């Protein structure tokens, strides 16, 4: 990988900041900057799948990070212009433009929380490329996660309670992203939020749910086993048994055997 001339890159970012108040000029300048670092000779293989199936650039990772760091002060100092720029970037067909829009949204001052929440919900209600969905969930709520936890919890609950599949799935993925940093004291409320999703059969919801259960099992295995047994007892279908069997590898042999026994009891009860 060729070395990056950081002095040159910083000059390019500074020039980009000069067009902050002109969204179309900014977009054009952003593409010129990114295309100058595009790795044209890089080949995609099975071992090196593209990060996104949207149109995108093959870039050294430090380029995107430097652009984000270079633009962050302007986002904080010029939030109104930032909103117009965020909206313009989101309309762009390239992954990097939308990824940058998500980053900028997550850097806005807290007084712009309603505008940020509105855009996060609007974006996530659309069918998104998986990489872009992950970028939105990681970057767009950044200031909410760190400085406005109550508002973030409310937004997360709104996503999970939505009638929209895309918002529900995004809520589960956001919860999975948050779990490593959440205190154990919050797990009771998490179990409550998750309970309705065990009644769903969409494989994408079940996949997100499985990832969350894996995190919960690693952090608090005994309470997670207890919760899963409750879900089993409340279910009237055999489908729940198949779902629960997927979770067995997350636990120690002793805990897994306890869950396996509960699954067997559920199956026999349904045959009576």
């Amino acid at each position: 990988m060729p070395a990056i001339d950081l002095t040159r890159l910083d000059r390019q970012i500074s020039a980009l900041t000069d067009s902050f108040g002109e969204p179309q000029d900014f977009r054009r300048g952003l593409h010129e900057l990114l295309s100058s670092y595009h790795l044209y000779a890089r080949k995609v293989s099975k071992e090196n799948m593209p990060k996104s199936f949207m149109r995108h650039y093959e870039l050294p990772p430090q380029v995107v990070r430097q652009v984000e760091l270079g633009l962050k002060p302007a986002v904080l100092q010029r939030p109104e212009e930032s909103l117009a720029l965020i909206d313009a970037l989101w309309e762009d067909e390239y992954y990097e433009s939308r990824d940058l829009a998500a980053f900028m949204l997550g850097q806005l001052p807290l007084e712009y929380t309603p505008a940020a929440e509105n855009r996060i919900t609007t974006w996530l209600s659309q069918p998104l490329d998986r990489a872009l969905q992950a970028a939105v969930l990681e970057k767009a709520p950044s200031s909410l996660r760190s400085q406005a936890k109550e508002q973030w919890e409310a937004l997360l609950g709104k996503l999970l309670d939505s009638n929209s599949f895309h918002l529900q799935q995004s809520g589960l993925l956001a919860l999975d992203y948050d779990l490593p940093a959440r205190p154990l004291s919050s797990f009771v409320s998490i179990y409550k939020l998750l309970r309705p999703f065990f009644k769903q059969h969409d494989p994408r919801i079940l996949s997100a749910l499985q990832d969350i259960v894996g995190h919960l099992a690693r952090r608090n295995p005994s309470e997670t086993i207890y919760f899963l047994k409750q879900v089993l007892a409340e279910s009237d279908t055999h489908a729940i048994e198949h779902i629960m069997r997927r979770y067995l590898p997350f636990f120690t042999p002793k805990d897994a055997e306890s869950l396996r026994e509960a699954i067997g009891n559920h199956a026999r009860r349904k045959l009576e």
Side-chain angles (χ1 to χ4, degrees), residues 69 155 225 230 263:
L69 290 174
L155 179 57
I225 283 284
Q230 285 184 318
I263 294 170

Side-chain angles (χ1 to χ4, degrees), residues 24-203:
Q24 298 311 314
D25 290 345
F26 184 98
R27 281 174 61 177
R28 185 163 45 251
L30 177 65
H31 282 291
E32 290 174 357
L33 185 158
L34 296 178
S35 64
S36 70
Y37 294 97
H38 179 65
L39 304 174
Y40 289 96
R42 186 175 182 181
K43 301 295 184 181
V44 175
S45 65
K46 290 182 179 180
E47 294 76 26
N48 180 31
M49 292 300 292
K51 62 186 175 184
S52 170
F53 290 98
M54 298 176 61
R55 296 187 69 179
H56 66 278
Y57 296 96
E58 294 290 347
L59 298 168
Q62 62 265 46
V63 170
V64 172
R65 187 57 185 151
Q66 284 297 119
V67 169
E68 290 178 343
L69 290 174
L71 294 177
K72 184 176 179 178
V75 176
L76 290 169
Q77 296 164 12
R78 302 160 69 177
E80 287 294 336
E81 290 175 306
S82 295
L83 280 174
L85 188 51
I86 287 166
D87 291 338
L89 289 171
W90 187 258
E91 294 301 318
D92 198 282
E93 61 184 356
Y94 273 78
Y95 167 81
E96 286 80 10
S97 296
R98 293 191 176 195
D99 177 62
L100 183 58
F103 170 80
M104 292 173 63
L105 192 67
Q107 305 306 313
L108 289 171
L110 282 182
E111 54 265 34
Y112 287 83
T113 292
E117 290 180 348
N118 179 62
R119 283 163 176 78
I120 291 170
T121 304
T122 300
W123 294 351
L124 292 176
S125 66
Q126 307 165 8
L128 297 179
D129 175 88
R130 184 64 184 262
L132 181 59
Q133 183 185 36
V136 171
L137 292 172
E138 176 187 352
K139 297 182 177 182
S142 180
S143 61
L144 292 177
R145 278 195 180 98
S146 61
Q147 303 175 53
K149 290 183 171 57
E150 289 187 5
Q151 289 96 320
W152 171 237
E153 290 296 324
L155 179 57
L156 186 58
K158 179 181 176 181
L159 295 177
L160 293 170
D161 289 339
S162 171
N163 292 324
S164 162
F165 164 79
H166 296 295
L167 292 181
Q168 286 184 349
Q169 184 202 30
S170 294
L172 289 172
L173 293 173
L175 182 58
D176 185 49
Y177 180 86
D178 282 357
L179 272 178
R182 283 179 174 261
L184 291 178
S185 59
S186 70
F187 279 26
V188 172
S189 61
I190 292 173
Y191 294 137
K192 183 178 180 181
L193 287 171
L194 294 179
R195 197 179 296 269
F197 291 98
F198 287 92
K199 299 176 183 178
Q200 297 200 26
H201 303 291
D202 188 289

Side-chain angles (χ1 to χ4, degrees), residues 1-9 36-37 39 60 62-63:
M1 180 179 296
I4 299 297
D5 183 343
L6 292 180
T7 301
R8 172 175 175 260
L9 178 55
S36 70
Y37 294 97
L39 304 174
Q62 62 265 46
V63 170

